Amino acid sequence: MEYEEIDYRVEDGVGWMRLRRPDKLNALTTRMASEALDVLAGAREDEAVRCLVITGEGRGFCAGQDLTEFTAGVATPLDVGEHLRSGYNRMITAIVELPMPVVAGVNGVAAGAGLSLALACDVRIASDAARFLQAFVRIGLVPDSGGNWLLPRVVGYAKALELSITGDQVDAAEALRIGLVNRVVPAEEFDAELAEFAGRMAQAPTRAIAAAKELMGQSLRLTLTETLEREALTQADLAGSPDFAEGVRAFLEKRPPKFTGR
Ligand code: LHQ
């Protein structure tokens, strides 16, 4: 598939998925969502990719649904439910289920479904120029693309509900304070820090990270007893992996491990 609204490249184990409608703050179109789905499916199958970064070109990360699609005749009237089911819902699920670390490089504003996109990622690294808003209520909608599920898990119920029913904007410092992002970096250092972190993730034991992500996701709907058993099963599986063998060998030889992701 030829990408027009996303730039995708793989460098040193990192898949860089850059939303590319900078004039519109990378607002999501039907086309962009289908390109994103293609990138996500490709990354999942590509052994050369051990970390995926989702970021935006220009001054925005993603301003959510492109609101002109409601009027521009792309799908008029846009069947909103189907649009979500066939596009954004699949995109969010694909990110959450991607068996590798997924990093949101929040370079600028993240609004509406754009915020949900960042929330679906495992780690959020933000530029100090970033800002965040559950924009939906401003246009008479409810959060979608998992916003109701993801945001309370990230910042807690009370803050999530407040942000969702006010649509108020949160700046990067406040986002860090409430746990909405993991790290805030000065805009001038953002690209380098993001690349450094993604590079580190791409050298990590990918299967262990994928399993940690899956187990922690499951734990939110399981009992402790069930989680303990799943941990035992997963650990037994990972204990047979080449990366575990390498990790132990490197420890005993007092050198840094060279993980291959297997
Ligand atoms: C945009 C957008 C945009 C088009 C900026 N669309 N052009 C809902 C319904 C149905 C189906 C599926 O999903 C959804 C989920 C959703 O995501 S609903 C929420 C949609 N998003 C919004 O309501 C956010 C709308 N945007 C804004 O409130 C502002 O643009 C923010 C606060 C994000 C940024 O403000 P500024 O920094 O002041 O930038 P700006 O407003 O001047 O925007 C720059 C350009 O980008 C401008 O275009 P122009 O041609 O005038 O320069 C905007 O029109 C365009 N743009 N967001 N979502």
Side-chain angles (χ1 to χ4, degrees), residues 136-168:
F136 307 89
V137 70
R138 294 182 173 202
I139 53 168
L141 294 178
V142 290
D144 63 24
S145 309
N148 294 294
W149 196 90
L150 296 161
L151 191 59
R153 283 170 169 75
V154 173
V155 300
Y157 183 91
K159 198 69 196 174
L161 190 58
E162 180 200 328
L163 294 177
S164 301
I165 67 176
T166 62
D168 284 351

Side-chain angles (χ1 to χ4, degrees), residues 180-243:
L180 181 52
V181 299
N182 301 81
R183 207 184 276 191
V184 174
V185 180
E188 324 72 82
E189 294 160 32
F190 176 72
D191 288 345
E193 281 250 4
L194 181 61
E196 195 270 329
F197 183 78
R200 203 175 108 204
M201 287 291 106
Q203 313 262 307
T206 315
R207 281 182 59 191
I209 292 194
K213 173 172 166 172
E214 194 183 356
L215 278 174
M216 206 170 281
Q218 291 172 345
S219 79
L220 297 170
R221 54 186 164 74
L222 295 179
T223 62
L224 173 61
T225 308
E226 288 163 335
T227 301
L228 286 166
E229 178 52 24
R230 288 187 192 206
E231 285 172 355
L233 288 168
T234 305
Q235 208 70 300
D237 181 37
L238 289 172
S241 71
D243 275 348

Side-chain angles (χ1 to χ4, degrees), residues 97-117:
E97 293 182 352
L98 204 65
M100 66 180 73
V102 183
V103 181
V106 190
N107 52 301
V109 67
L115 177 51
S116 298
L117 181 62

Side-chain angles (χ1 to χ4, degrees), residues 43-95:
R44 195 183 171 97
E45 297 309 316
D46 188 350
E47 281 191 8
V49 183
R50 291 169 59 192
C51 170
L52 184 77
V53 176
I54 301 177
T55 190
E57 193 170 303
R59 75 177 179 90
F61 172 73
C62 176
Q65 167 66 38
D66 186 315
L67 295 173
T68 65
E69 274 199 338
F70 288 97
T71 51
V74 173
T76 315
L78 193 62
D79 181 337
V80 172
E82 255 332 288
H83 184 68
L84 288 172
R85 284 184 202 99
S86 62
Y88 303 170
N89 293 3
R90 289 172 60 207
M91 180 174 77
I92 297 297
T93 306
I95 294 168

Side-chain angles (χ1 to χ4, degrees), residues 2 7 30 59 77 82 98 102 110 114 133 159 169 175 179 204 212 217 220 222 228 250-251 254 259-261:
E2 275 283 302
D7 182 58
T30 305
R59 75 177 179 90
E82 255 332 288
L98 204 65
V102 183
L133 58 155
K159 198 69 196 174
Q169 201 162 278
L220 297 170
L222 295 179
L228 286 166
F251 174 77
K254 300 190 189 298
F259 295 121
T260 58

